[in-house]
Amino acid sequence: MIGRLVLVAFALALASPASARDPIGTAGSFRSVGWAQCRAPYEEWKQGACDPAPVDAALSGSSLARAHIERSVALLAQTRTEEALKAANAAVAIDPANVSSLTFRGRLLSTLLKLDAAERDLNAALMIEPTNPVLLASRAEVLLNAGKGPDAIADITAAIAQRPDDTDMLSIKARIHLSRGQVDLAERDLEHAVSLDPSDPRTRLMKAQAQFRLGQFEGAIDDATKTLAISASDLMARETRALALIALDRPAEAIEDLNVLLGPPGQPTTAVTLRHNREILFQRALLLAQLGKREESNRDIEALMLSGGKQAILRVQLYLRRNGFPDVRIDGERDTDFDNTLRNCVLDRACGRGITRHI
């Protein structure tokens, strides 16, 4: 499984893509590559102490190509992606028909979001090994990221026909289904994947998110909780569980998760400046008001208004004007009347939930 790999790229470089041992490269595979183990001081690092060894000029053929791939892996470990790509290019130049080199570079290009080039490399590899399930699954991911859903589903279906119990492939297929709004089909694939490997937090989180979208809130809570038991710092699992608890009208439990995500009321993390997290913060303000914790709710509202600036105030004023508060001014400025009106909206469940999308 991808989540257990430290250096995905070594498997790609040193094993044939047809090998059953090969993991599927995902769009984020190389971003999760472990940092270089070099412990040199910063000044020595800047002077090249951690640079990978140069390729041995005495090598030739497949050995030379492999050496360039190994150098690319080492450069990836230092997040020197452009240099890594140059090394991968050198490997392909030695033998443009080498499937391992083409696959490695294709996945790296996908990680760099150079999707057309990635697809060309994987197409070239598939011309040589047209039924290789790993290549088909890799191309399916590239096609998914390029917005080519029907082609992606055709590739991953062909790959899974050969490896019906490959959890990586099932996860890829599920993500393709999710991108096409086919949440029920995605949930079915994820259920199968989780049954095969209950310890994989990524697959279980995807299942929790799919269940949430299907309105299966108890199931979403269960899978999010199991994800957190495996990976306690997974913020997406915590958010999914919090939102499912809100949907089931369990505010006290939801607030516990939201406090982990956001920090204490009135002291949101810097991430709250992002629009999505601002909505979550407002959700907490609503829940606190619902539980009668007015002071804490007001602190969150204050933090929201301060972090959002004039545009946020204008959005809220427009919403209030259109939803039962016709006397609200539209000027992007705060005053006592505006603050009181906003708090009254928060105390009204329907008004408060409606304003969440505008905060």
Side-chain angles (χ1 to χ4, degrees):
M1 284 293 295
I2 298 161
R4 292 195 293 267
L5 293 176
V6 177
L7 288 175
V8 169
F10 274 124
L12 306 180
L14 303 178
S16 163
S19 167
R21 294 172 298 166
D22 271 357
I24 304 304
T26 68
S29 293
F30 295 118
R31 294 195 182 95
S32 64
V33 168
W35 301 125
Q37 296 302 304
C38 174
R39 301 299 183 190
Y42 179 67
E43 288 302 320
E44 293 180 24
W45 174 80
K46 284 201 303 181
Q47 295 171 15
C50 295
D51 286 2
V55 172
D56 187 347
L59 296 173
S60 62
S62 60
S63 296
L64 180 59
R66 180 177 297 190
H68 280 296
I69 294 295
E70 289 175 352
R71 178 175 171 80
S72 182
V73 169
L75 290 164
L76 283 169
Q78 298 185 39
T79 63
R80 293 157 63 178
T81 52
E82 290 303 322
E83 293 174 80
L85 181 56
K86 289 179 182 178
N89 289 341
V92 174
I94 291 165
D95 182 2
N98 183 285
V99 173
S100 291
S101 297
L102 287 167
T103 305
F104 177 88
R105 189 174 71 173
R107 293 175 182 173
L108 175 54
L109 287 164
S110 177
T111 299
L112 298 175
L113 299 181
K114 299 181 180 182
L115 300 179
D116 289 342
E119 187 177 346
R120 283 195 297 271
D121 273 353
L122 294 170
N123 286 344
L126 280 161
M127 289 291 290
I128 302 165
E129 297 184 11
T131 62
N132 185 314
V134 173
L135 288 174
L136 287 166
S138 297
R139 187 172 68 178
E141 282 224 302
V142 173
L143 293 169
L144 167 62
N145 293 332
K148 301 176 182 178
D151 292 334
I153 202 69
D155 271 355
I156 198 62
T157 300
I160 290 175
Q162 299 178 66
R163 296 192 185 178
D165 292 336
D166 189 304
T167 54
D168 287 340
M169 292 183 183
L170 289 166
S171 295
I172 292 169
K173 188 180 179 188
R175 288 197 289 110
I176 297 170
H177 283 316
L178 289 171
S179 74
R180 305 177 75 192
Q182 298 168 322
V183 186
D184 55 335
L185 297 179
E187 198 271 340
R188 193 181 310 162
D189 286 327
L190 292 166
E191 179 68 42
H192 185 193
V194 167
S195 71
L196 294 167
D197 186 1
S199 65
D200 178 23
R202 297 182 187 181
T203 307
R204 193 172 284 282
L205 173 59
M206 285 178 63
K207 180 168 174 274
Q209 292 170 327
Q211 289 176 311
F212 180 84
R213 289 174 62 177
L214 290 169
Q216 299 170 5
F217 302 124
E218 292 286 2
I221 291 168
D222 181 61
D223 275 314
T225 300
K226 289 175 179 175
T227 301
L228 288 166
I230 302 166
S231 178
S233 62
D234 194 319
L235 297 183
M236 287 303 299
R238 199 165 291 280
E239 178 184 328
T240 300
R241 186 170 70 179
L243 294 176
L245 287 165
I246 291 170
L248 290 176
D249 200 20
R250 292 159 62 178
E253 296 167 84
I255 285 174
E256 289 183 15
D257 279 335
L258 293 175
N259 287 345
V260 174
L261 284 170
L262 301 171
Q267 301 177 41
T269 63
T270 54
V272 171
T273 57
L274 300 175
R275 179 69 182 275
H276 172 68
N277 284 344
R278 286 172 55 77
E279 293 173 6
I280 297 174
L281 181 60
F282 195 78
Q283 286 275 11
R284 184 172 67 181
L286 293 176
L287 297 176
L288 289 167
Q290 181 181 334
L291 293 172
K293 299 181 178 182
R294 301 273 186 90
E295 184 178 342
E296 293 179 15
S297 176
N298 290 341
R299 286 205 296 268
D300 270 350
I301 293 171
E302 179 71 15
L304 273 170
M305 292 297 98
L306 290 175
S307 66
K310 190 166 186 173
Q311 291 300 316
I313 295 171
L314 279 170
R315 286 195 300 269
V316 171
Q317 287 175 333
L318 284 168
Y319 176 85
L320 293 171
R321 172 75 71 87
R322 295 167 180 168
N323 291 273
F325 301 93
D327 297 329
V328 171
R329 296 200 314 274
I330 310 296
D331 58 4
E333 301 293 336
R334 291 180 60 190
D335 58 19
T336 302
D337 288 340
F338 169 78
D339 287 350
N340 289 336
T341 302
L342 178 56
R343 291 184 182 115
N344 287 335
C345 176
V346 169
L347 292 172
D348 181 280
R349 179 174 274 190
C351 181
R353 288 189 173 177
I355 205 173
T356 303
R357 295 186 299 274
H358 302 267
I359 197 69

